[in-house]
Amino acid sequence: MGFRAPWVSSFGLFLIIIFLFSANGVVEASSRRLLHRHHHGRGLHAAGFRPAKLFVFGDSYADTGNNKMNEASWKVPYGVTFPGKPAGRFSSGRVLTDFLAKSVGLESPVPYQGRNMEDRRFNSGMNFAYGGTGVFDTTVAYPNMTTQIGLFKQLIDDGTFSAADLASSLTLVTLSGNDYSAYTAKNGLIPSALQEFIVSVVSQLGTNLKQLYELGARKVAVAALQPLGCIPRFTAVNSFQKCNDTLNSLVGFHNQLLRKAVSDLNNQTASSTFVVVDLYTSFMSVLNSTDSTFVDPLKPCCVGVSSRFNCGTVDADGTKKYTVCEAPESAFFWDMAHPTQAGWRAVYTSLSAALEQQL
Ligand SMILES: *[C@@H]1O[C@H](CO)[C@@H](O)[C@H](O)[C@H]1NC(C)=O
Ligand SMILES: *[C@@H]1O[C@H](CO)[C@@H](O)[C@H](O)[C@H]1NC(C)=O
Ligand SMILES: *[C@@H]1O[C@H](CO)[C@@H](O)[C@H](O)[C@H]1NC(C)=O
Ligand SMILES: *[C@@H]1O[C@H](CO)[C@@H](O)[C@H](O)[C@H]1NC(C)=O
């Protein structure tokens, strides 16, 4: 993530287009599918899909240590819950990758950047996700999705991973919005242009998914965009009390296109390789839950003392410029963009039945 610029305010005609693809429609449709599956399905842990390895591409929602040591993910208080010290995750602890790995019976795969450390084995696959990245180049100097896939290809070419590894593997792909924050930082928000940009982001994602298929991946879980309008960066203006529906409608448009792209790819490949991980619905249902363990669900645990500072910022003499809540396990959001470990656990619990059914 790392949203560096707010979306600008004028939406005009664009909204009319967006409403045709309204987020509500997406949410309702997928809850219906979910109910349907519960009813006729094999039950919560029955999927029993046991891939040999897990390969991961994307951004901070999946990264488990690829960013450089000078990034927030490697600084106190990141990692306070797990592993108890900063370890390269943009959270208090475990992230989506870790929960998915566990649920399919694997250790969380080694980050690509740590592959040369002694005693590191690649038995459970590898994680190529870099915080801050997108399908296109963003504001960070880390590999975009095409380049991440290129790194994977090198390891296939040099025999680190085999065709058999691929055929029996699971792949996770996350795309959490960095393309959009980079785009709006540079261009502002011109409605017609942004609409085109959303189309091009999903189209590029489709190209990347196809590359994974061509490399031999046969089960690929692709994250839908989470409700950006609910993340603390965009709810700070109302003291973390309500989501921004306008932004969530834009997310609905992205997700609608994503579903179409995924279904077209499955059709083209005459397979059911690609599965959508519905982060939109799962975030919403956790945030909306009435019996939630999260007392003030939109409020992040770790925040800068003013808007000039972030979670983890210290000044020149080492004084903390942030505060951390007493109980990170009762907060959904960790910082301005990322869930806590407890947040990710709740999200994963919410989506696991539907996901495991499709794997
Ligand atoms: C929603 O976000 C947009 C873009 O940042 C902003 O212009 C708009 O004022 C926000 N709406 C509300 C109700 O906060
Ligand atoms: C990804 O990064 C590479 C290397 O910097 C660049 O050549 C390429 O154009 C980028 N791809 C996209 C789709 O932006
Ligand atoms: C798949 O694509 C073919 C043509 O490419 C089309 O005729 C068919 O209706 C498509 N099936 C689905 C389920 O979309
Ligand atoms: C969350 O609750 C609000 C208010 O009741 C409702 O408008 C919204 O549709 C709900 N969202 C989801 C995903 O259930």
Side-chain angles (χ1 to χ4, degrees), residues 111-163:
Y112 173 79
Q113 212 60 47
R115 73 195 177 287
N116 292 330
M117 285 165 70
E118 264 181 283
D119 83 352
R120 285 255 159 144
R121 316 195 112 214
F122 315 141
N123 296 347
S124 56
M126 197 170 278
N127 188 341
F128 299 86
Y130 284 80
T133 65
V135 287
F136 297 121
D137 291 334
T138 57
T139 53
V140 299
Y142 291 114
N144 62 36
M145 198 172 287
T146 307
T147 306
Q148 291 174 24
I149 294 168
L151 298 174
F152 182 39
K153 185 171 184 307
Q154 283 171 15
L155 297 185
I156 296 168
D157 291 345
D158 76 8
T160 305
F161 295 114
S162 69

Side-chain angles (χ1 to χ4, degrees), residues 69 71-80 82-89 91-92:
M69 298 285 202
E71 304 286 352
S73 59
W74 286 101
K75 288 181 184 158
V76 174
Y78 285 76
V80 62
F82 172 84
K85 60 176 187 194
R89 287 172 174 80
S91 178
S92 58

Side-chain angles (χ1 to χ4, degrees), residues 24 27-28 31 245 280-289:
N24 289 341
V27 170
E28 280 164 22
S31 341
D245 293 339
Y280 190 94
T281 304
S282 51
F283 269 60
M284 278 305 215
S285 74
V286 171
L287 293 173
N288 247 2
S289 165

Side-chain angles (χ1 to χ4, degrees), residues 5-11 189 234 237-238 242-247 250:
W7 297 63
V8 189
S9 56
S10 84
F11 283 92
L189 196 157
F234 297 114
V237 288
N238 61 47
K242 58 196 256 317
C243 302
N244 184 315
D245 293 339
T246 312
L247 293 179
L250 292 162

Side-chain angles (χ1 to χ4, degrees), residues 18-33:
I18 289 302
F19 283 137
L20 294 175
F21 298 96
S22 98
N24 289 341
V26 175
V27 170
E28 280 164 22
S30 45
S31 341
R32 270 199 302 275
R33 272 196 296 281

Side-chain angles (χ1 to χ4, degrees), residues 220-264:
V220 182
V222 189
L225 200 52
Q226 76 282 9
L228 284 176
C230 300
I231 70 160
R233 178 131 318 156
F234 297 114
T235 61
V237 288
N238 61 47
S239 310
F240 312 113
Q241 289 312 300
K242 58 196 256 317
C243 302
N244 184 315
D245 293 339
T246 312
L247 293 179
N248 284 347
S249 295
L250 292 162
V251 170
F253 181 52
H254 170 105
N255 286 342
Q256 188 72 26
L257 295 176
L258 174 67
R259 279 178 199 289
K260 171 84 167 62
V262 158
S263 109
D264 287 351

